Amino acid sequence: DLALATFIVNLFGVALAAICTYRFTLTTDQRLFLVTGFAGGFTTYSAFALLLYDLSLAQAGRYIVASLILSLGLIRLIRAGV
């Protein structure tokens, strides 16, 4: 299912960006490459937007809320060192 795959890839991208930001001591260039370049390219905003367009308003809302809550939760856990 494309929606689930996109959801999972985006969560992995958030986790990767958070790990690079909060767990490693990186130079500015390394951080830009890994977070903006790699993690940004790995996540799939265009697929996310297209999926939302094809969902009902209620489904799209649930998808957005779940993405945000889980992403922010991942960041909080990684930043806390869990």
Side-chain angles (χ1 to χ4, degrees):
D1 178 47
L2 186 59
L4 180 60
T6 301
F7 185 76
I8 291 169
V9 165
N10 286 336
L11 289 178
F12 275 121
V14 166
L16 176 64
I19 289 167
C20 289
T21 301
Y22 297 114
R23 293 292 183 90
F24 297 133
T25 303
L26 302 173
T27 66
T28 301
D29 288 341
Q30 290 170 328
R31 189 179 324 251
L32 284 172
F33 174 77
L34 291 170
V35 175
T36 306
F38 185 76
F42 180 67
T43 59
T44 52
Y45 180 77
S46 56
F48 175 75
L50 287 171
L51 286 170
L52 293 180
Y53 184 80
D54 290 334
L55 297 176
S56 71
L57 189 57
Q59 289 172 316
R62 285 191 300 272
Y63 195 94
I64 290 168
V65 169
S67 293
L68 287 173
I69 289 172
L70 290 176
S71 293
L72 293 173
L74 274 172
I75 293 167
R76 189 171 294 271
L77 287 172
I78 290 166
R79 189 172 184 185
V82 174

